[in-house]
Amino acid sequence: MLIKVYSDAASQGNPGNSGAGLVILYNGQQIQQHHYLGNMSNHEAEFAAAIWAFQVLATLSNESDTIMYYADSKIVIDSIHKRYAKHFGPQLAQLLTYYDRYHLIIATWLPEKQNHGAHQLAWQAIHHQH
């Protein structure tokens, strides 16, 4: 099965209150979720959002599914492709434990304006915490 996953993070300040948004498209269905992340820098929040997205994905999928993963964070997508993150090694290692479960996964950067759904959900996560 083909599954499309979109994640994004938002932070009020850097660091500041942060949230994650997630949109998953599969089998004719759409799942939208948001999750409060706490006080983080923007980059920390982007990695946390990606990790959370893959945790949710793990409950819906199996290793033989084809995963198209989209994020508007260049540091997350570049780190996945290089399998290296100078300042976010532990976060990347955690992300890769989920990422590497799948036989075929394609991680793609997309502009923020094309990730609007996940972005709005990330802001909802922050606003629902106040």
Coordinates of all heavy atoms in Angstrom, one line a residue, residues 81-126:
H81 N 18.6 11.9 4.4 CA 19.4 11.5 3.2 C 20.8 11.2 3.5 O 21.4 10.2 3.0 CB 19.2 12.6 2.1 CG 17.9 12.6 1.5 ND1 17.4 13.8 0.9 CD2 16.8 11.8 1.5 CE1 16.2 13.6 0.5 NE2 15.8 12.4 0.9
K82 N 21.5 12.1 4.3 CA 22.9 11.9 4.6 C 23.1 10.9 5.8 O 24.2 10.5 6.0 CB 23.5 13.2 5.0 CG 23.5 14.3 3.9 CD 24.0 15.6 4.5 CE 23.9 16.7 3.4 NZ 24.3 18.0 4.0
R83 N 22.0 10.6 6.5 CA 22.1 9.8 7.7 C 23.1 10.4 8.7 O 23.8 9.7 9.4 CB 22.4 8.3 7.4 CG 21.4 7.7 6.4 CD 21.6 6.3 6.2 NE 21.3 5.4 7.3 CZ 20.1 5.0 7.6 NH1 19.0 5.3 6.9 NH2 19.9 4.2 8.7
Y84 N 23.1 11.7 8.8 CA 24.0 12.5 9.7 C 23.4 13.8 10.0 O 22.8 14.5 9.1 CB 25.4 12.7 9.0 CG 26.3 13.6 9.7 CD1 27.0 13.1 10.8 CD2 26.4 14.9 9.4 CE1 27.8 13.9 11.5 CE2 27.3 15.7 10.1 CZ 28.0 15.3 11.2 OH 28.8 16.1 11.9
A85 N 23.5 14.2 11.3 CA 23.1 15.5 11.7 C 24.1 16.0 12.8 O 24.1 15.4 13.8 CB 21.7 15.5 12.3
K86 N 24.8 17.0 12.4 CA 25.9 17.5 13.3 C 25.4 17.8 14.7 O 26.1 17.4 15.7 CB 26.5 18.7 12.7 CG 27.7 19.3 13.4 CD 28.4 20.4 12.7 CE 29.6 20.9 13.5 NZ 30.3 22.0 12.8
H87 N 24.3 18.5 14.8 CA 23.9 18.9 16.2 C 22.6 18.2 16.7 O 22.2 18.4 17.8 CB 23.5 20.4 16.2 CG 24.7 21.3 15.8 ND1 25.8 21.5 16.6 CD2 24.9 22.0 14.7 CE1 26.7 22.2 16.0 NE2 26.2 22.6 14.9
F88 N 22.1 17.3 15.9 CA 20.9 16.6 16.3 C 21.0 15.1 16.1 O 20.1 14.4 15.7 CB 19.7 17.1 15.4 CG 19.5 18.6 15.7 CD1 20.0 19.5 14.8 CD2 18.8 19.0 16.8 CE1 19.8 20.9 15.0 CE2 18.6 20.4 17.0 CZ 19.1 21.3 16.1
G89 N 22.2 14.5 16.4 CA 22.5 13.1 16.2 C 21.5 12.2 17.0 O 21.0 11.2 16.4
P90 N 21.3 12.5 18.3 CA 20.3 11.6 19.0 C 18.9 11.6 18.4 O 18.3 10.5 18.3 CB 20.3 12.1 20.4 CG 21.6 12.8 20.5 CD 21.9 13.4 19.2
Q91 N 18.5 12.8 18.0 CA 17.1 12.9 17.4 C 17.1 12.1 16.1 O 16.1 11.4 15.8 CB 16.7 14.3 17.2 CG 16.5 15.1 18.5 CD 17.7 15.8 19.0 OE1 18.9 15.4 18.7 NE2 17.5 16.9 19.7
L92 N 18.1 12.3 15.2 CA 18.2 11.6 14.0 C 18.2 10.1 14.2 O 17.6 9.3 13.5 CB 19.4 12.0 13.1 CG 19.5 11.3 11.8 CD1 18.3 11.5 10.9 CD2 20.8 11.8 11.1
A93 N 19.0 9.6 15.1 CA 19.1 8.2 15.4 C 17.8 7.6 15.8 O 17.4 6.5 15.3 CB 20.1 7.9 16.5
Q94 N 17.0 8.3 16.6 CA 15.7 7.9 17.0 C 14.8 7.8 15.8 O 14.0 6.9 15.6 CB 15.1 8.8 18.1 CG 13.8 8.3 18.6 CD 13.2 9.1 19.7 OE1 13.8 10.2 20.1 NE2 12.1 8.7 20.3
L95 N 14.8 8.9 14.9 CA 14.0 8.9 13.7 C 14.3 7.8 12.8 O 13.4 7.1 12.3 CB 14.2 10.3 13.0 CG 13.5 10.5 11.7 CD1 12.0 10.3 11.8 CD2 13.8 11.8 11.1
L96 N 15.6 7.5 12.6 CA 16.0 6.4 11.7 C 15.6 5.0 12.2 O 15.4 4.1 11.4 CB 17.5 6.5 11.5 CG 18.0 7.7 10.6 CD1 19.5 7.7 10.5 CD2 17.4 7.7 9.2
T97 N 15.4 4.8 13.5 CA 14.9 3.5 14.0 C 13.5 3.3 13.4 O 13.2 2.1 13.2 CB 14.9 3.4 15.5 OG1 14.0 4.4 16.1 CG2 16.3 3.6 16.1
Y98 N 12.7 4.3 13.3 CA 11.4 4.1 12.7 C 11.5 4.1 11.2 O 10.8 3.2 10.5 CB 10.5 5.3 13.1 CG 10.1 5.2 14.6 CD1 10.8 6.1 15.5 CD2 9.2 4.3 15.1 CE1 10.4 6.0 16.8 CE2 8.9 4.3 16.4 CZ 9.5 5.1 17.3 OH 9.2 5.1 18.6
Y99 N 12.3 5.0 10.6 CA 12.4 5.1 9.2 C 12.9 3.8 8.5 O 12.4 3.4 7.5 CB 13.4 6.3 8.9 CG 13.6 6.7 7.5 CD1 12.8 7.7 7.0 CD2 14.6 6.1 6.7 CE1 12.9 8.1 5.7 CE2 14.7 6.6 5.4 CZ 13.9 7.5 4.9 OH 14.1 7.9 3.6
D100 N 13.9 3.2 9.2 CA 14.5 2.0 8.6 C 13.7 0.7 8.7 O 14.1 -0.3 8.2 CB 15.9 1.8 9.3 CG 16.9 2.8 8.9 OD1 16.7 3.5 7.9 OD2 17.9 2.9 9.6
R101 N 12.5 0.8 9.3 CA 11.6 -0.4 9.3 C 11.0 -0.7 8.0 O 10.5 -1.8 7.7 CB 10.5 -0.1 10.3 CG 10.9 0.0 11.7 CD 9.8 0.2 12.6 NE 10.2 0.3 14.0 CZ 9.4 0.7 15.0 NH1 8.2 0.9 14.8 NH2 9.9 0.7 16.2
Y102 N 11.0 0.3 7.1 CA 10.3 0.2 5.8 C 11.3 -0.2 4.7 O 12.4 0.3 4.6 CB 9.6 1.5 5.5 CG 8.5 1.8 6.5 CD1 8.8 2.6 7.5 CD2 7.3 1.2 6.4 CE1 7.8 2.9 8.5 CE2 6.3 1.4 7.4 CZ 6.6 2.3 8.5 OH 5.7 2.6 9.4
H103 N 10.8 -1.1 3.8 CA 11.6 -1.5 2.6 C 11.8 -0.3 1.6 O 12.8 -0.2 1.0 CB 11.0 -2.7 1.9 CG 11.0 -3.9 2.7 ND1 12.2 -4.6 3.0 CD2 10.0 -4.6 3.4 CE1 11.9 -5.6 3.8 NE2 10.6 -5.7 4.0
L104 N 10.7 0.4 1.4 CA 10.8 1.5 0.4 C 10.2 2.8 1.0 O 9.0 2.8 1.3 CB 10.1 1.2 -0.9 CG 10.1 2.3 -1.9 CD1 11.5 2.7 -2.3 CD2 9.4 1.8 -3.2
I105 N 11.0 3.8 1.2 CA 10.5 5.1 1.8 C 11.3 6.2 1.0 O 12.5 6.1 0.8 CB 10.7 5.1 3.3 CG1 10.1 6.4 3.9 CG2 12.1 5.0 3.7 CD1 10.0 6.4 5.4
I106 N 10.5 7.2 0.6 CA 11.1 8.3 -0.1 C 10.8 9.6 0.7 O 9.6 9.9 0.9 CB 10.5 8.4 -1.5 CG1 10.8 7.1 -2.3 CG2 11.1 9.6 -2.2 CD1 10.0 6.9 -3.5
A107 N 11.9 10.2 1.2 CA 11.7 11.4 2.0 C 12.0 12.6 1.0 O 13.0 12.7 0.3 CB 12.7 11.5 3.1
T108 N 11.0 13.6 1.0 CA 11.1 14.7 0.1 C 10.8 16.0 0.8 O 9.8 16.1 1.6 CB 10.0 14.5 -1.0 OG1 10.2 13.2 -1.6 CG2 10.0 15.6 -2.0
W109 N 11.6 17.0 0.5 CA 11.4 18.3 1.1 C 10.4 19.0 0.2 O 10.4 18.8 -1.0 CB 12.7 19.1 1.0 CG 12.5 20.6 1.4 CD1 12.4 21.1 2.7 CD2 12.2 21.7 0.6 NE1 12.1 22.4 2.7 CE2 12.0 22.8 1.4 CE3 12.2 21.8 -0.8 CZ2 11.8 24.1 0.8 CZ3 11.9 23.1 -1.4 CH2 11.7 24.2 -0.5
L110 N 9.5 19.7 0.8 CA 8.6 20.5 0.0 C 8.4 21.9 0.6 O 8.7 22.1 1.8 CB 7.2 19.9 -0.1 CG 6.2 19.8 1.0 CD1 4.9 19.4 0.5 CD2 6.7 18.9 2.1
P111 N 8.1 22.9 -0.2 CA 8.0 24.3 0.4 C 6.9 24.3 1.4 O 5.9 23.6 1.3 CB 7.6 25.1 -0.8 CG 8.0 24.3 -2.0 CD 7.9 22.9 -1.6
E112 N 7.0 25.2 2.4 CA 6.0 25.4 3.5 C 4.6 25.5 2.9 O 3.7 25.0 3.5 CB 6.4 26.5 4.4 CG 5.5 26.7 5.6 CD 6.0 27.8 6.5 OE1 7.2 27.9 6.8 OE2 5.1 28.6 6.8
K113 N 4.4 26.3 1.9 CA 3.1 26.6 1.4 C 2.4 25.3 0.8 O 1.2 25.2 0.7 CB 3.1 27.6 0.3 CG 3.9 27.3 -1.0 CD 3.9 28.4 -2.0 CE 4.8 28.0 -3.2 NZ 5.1 29.1 -4.0
Q114 N 3.2 24.2 0.5 CA 2.7 23.0 0.1 C 2.4 22.0 1.3 O 2.0 20.9 1.1 CB 3.6 22.3 -1.0 CG 3.6 23.1 -2.3 CD 4.5 22.5 -3.3 OE1 4.9 21.3 -3.2 NE2 5.0 23.3 -4.2
N115 N 2.8 22.4 2.5 CA 2.6 21.6 3.7 C 1.6 22.3 4.6 O 1.8 22.2 5.8 CB 4.0 21.4 4.3 CG 4.0 20.2 5.2 OD1 3.2 19.3 5.1 ND2 5.0 20.1 6.1
H116 N 0.7 23.0 4.1 CA -0.2 23.9 4.8 C -1.0 23.1 5.9 O -1.2 23.5 7.0 CB -1.1 24.6 3.9 CG -1.9 25.7 4.6 ND1 -1.4 26.8 5.1 CD2 -3.3 25.7 4.8 CE1 -2.4 27.5 5.6 NE2 -3.5 26.9 5.5
G117 N -1.5 21.9 5.5 CA -2.3 21.1 6.4 C -1.6 20.8 7.7 O -2.1 21.0 8.8
A118 N -0.4 20.2 7.6 CA 0.4 19.8 8.7 C 0.8 21.1 9.5 O 0.9 21.0 10.8 CB 1.6 19.0 8.3
H119 N 1.1 22.1 8.8 CA 1.5 23.4 9.5 C 0.4 23.9 10.4 O 0.6 24.3 11.5 CB 1.9 24.4 8.4 CG 2.4 25.7 9.0 ND1 3.7 25.8 9.5 CD2 1.8 26.9 9.1 CE1 3.9 27.1 9.9 NE2 2.8 27.7 9.7
Q120 N -0.8 24.0 9.8 CA -2.0 24.5 10.6 C -2.2 23.6 11.8 O -2.5 24.1 12.9 CB -3.2 24.5 9.8 CG -3.2 25.6 8.7 CD -3.1 27.0 9.4 OE1 -2.1 27.7 9.3 NE2 -4.1 27.4 10.0
L121 N -2.0 22.3 11.7 CA -2.2 21.4 12.8 C -1.2 21.6 13.9 O -1.5 21.5 15.1 CB -2.2 19.9 12.3 CG -3.5 19.5 11.5 CD1 -3.2 18.3 10.7 CD2 -4.7 19.4 12.4
A122 N 0.1 21.9 13.5 CA 1.1 22.2 14.5 C 0.8 23.4 15.3 O 1.0 23.4 16.5 CB 2.5 22.3 13.7
W123 N 0.2 24.4 14.7 CA -0.2 25.6 15.4 C -1.3 25.3 16.3 O -1.4 25.8 17.4 CB -0.5 26.8 14.5 CG 0.8 27.5 14.0 CD1 1.4 27.4 12.8 CD2 1.7 28.3 14.8 NE1 2.5 28.1 12.8 CE2 2.7 28.7 14.0 CE3 1.6 28.7 16.2 CZ2 3.8 29.5 14.5 CZ3 2.6 29.5 16.6 CH2 3.7 29.9 15.8
Q124 N -2.3 24.5 15.9 CA -3.4 24.1 16.7 C -2.9 23.4 18.0 O -3.4 23.6 19.1 CB -4.3 23.1 16.0 CG -5.2 23.8 15.0 CD -6.1 22.8 14.3 OE1 -6.5 21.8 14.9 NE2 -6.5 23.1 13.1
A125 N -1.8 22.6 17.9 CA -1.3 21.9 19.1 C -0.8 22.9 20.1 O -1.0 22.7 21.3 CB -0.1 21.0 18.6
I126 N -0.2 24.0 19.7 CA 0.3 25.0 20.6 C -0.8 25.8 21.2 O -0.9 25.9 22.4 CB 1.2 26.0 19.8 CG1 2.5 25.3 19.3 CG2 1.6 27.2 20.7 CD1 3.4 26.2 18.4

